Amino acid sequence: MAEFKTNVYRIFDKEKLPYTPHTYPHGDDAVDGMTIAETLGIPPEKVFKTLVTQGSDKNYYVFDVPVNRELDLKKAAAAVGVKSVAMIKVADINKITGYVRGGCSPIGMKKKYRTVFDATAKDCDTMFVSAGRIGWQIEAKPEDLAKLSGAIFADILLALV
């Protein structure tokens, strides 16, 4: 039987970039990022969630932040040069990205959207993001993930209180 690969893995293979695939047990529903980090035994600051927003200019923007932190919408808007951004409705994720909630990856969306990884990603030797399906993660160098998604790095986290 052939090895299963998500489109994200295929994109990495095509570009000849190194990565490590990871899977975790799941049901039919999305699993939160903290549970993924715990299940895989990875520090949560290395596991990033992909968030999709719509800007005041009506364009879509993608932000990746550690699963144990929250996106600062004002910093996010400033990072992409718009007045404001707001989270899209969960029901719209598939229509906009081609992915489902819990399986949204910054790599391989239907269209290429401006993408920003939180600056803390640069402190990681490798980071984890969804590989495009619930139950699948990809571990890769932040620079390689940024290259394939067209991402920049910026401080987009809500300050800890």
Side-chain angles (χ1 to χ4, degrees):
M1 186 169 160
E3 176 185 9
F4 176 79
K5 290 208 173 192
T6 68
N7 285 338
V8 174
Y9 298 150
R10 287 186 198 98
I11 291 167
F12 266 79
D13 289 344
K14 181 179 177 219
E15 295 298 320
K16 296 180 176 28
L17 292 171
Y19 67 91
T20 304
H22 295 272
T23 60
Y24 58 89
H26 63 90
D28 292 335
D29 296 323
V31 177
D32 71 272
M34 287 298 289
T35 301
I36 293 168
E38 289 167 17
T39 301
L40 295 176
I42 304 159
E45 57 274 6
K46 287 187 70 161
V47 181
F48 282 65
K49 56 188 170 185
T50 301
L51 305 170
V52 183
T53 65
Q54 187 170 32
S56 53
D57 61 355
K58 301 297 180 209
N59 290 313
Y60 295 106
Y61 299 96
V62 176
F63 299 95
D64 277 77
V65 300
V67 296
N68 62 341
R69 301 289 302 274
E70 295 299 322
L71 178 67
D72 182 315
L73 294 174
K74 288 184 181 183
K75 288 180 181 178
V80 294
V82 296
K83 184 178 175 184
S84 64
V85 295
M87 297 299 298
I88 64 166
K89 293 178 182 148
V90 173
D92 293 337
I93 288 174
N94 184 262
K95 177 179 72 173
I96 294 165
T97 68
Y99 291 125
V100 298
R101 179 179 179 269
C104 191
S105 179
I107 310 293
M109 290 189 181
K110 278 182 176 180
K111 294 182 182 176
K112 204 124 181 166
Y113 298 113
R114 290 210 32 217
T115 302
V116 180
F117 291 163
D118 182 64
T120 60
K122 292 199 303 189
D123 298 333
C124 301
D125 51 339
T126 61
M127 62 188 274
F128 294 70
V129 298
S130 174
R133 291 178 68 118
I134 295 172
W136 298 77
Q137 291 277 305
I138 184 168
E139 177 184 5
K141 294 177 185 173
E143 309 80 44
D144 291 344
L145 286 160
K147 175 184 174 183
L148 294 181
S149 63
I152 62 168
F153 295 91
D155 174 15
I156 53 173
L157 293 180
L158 199 58
L160 293 173
V161 272

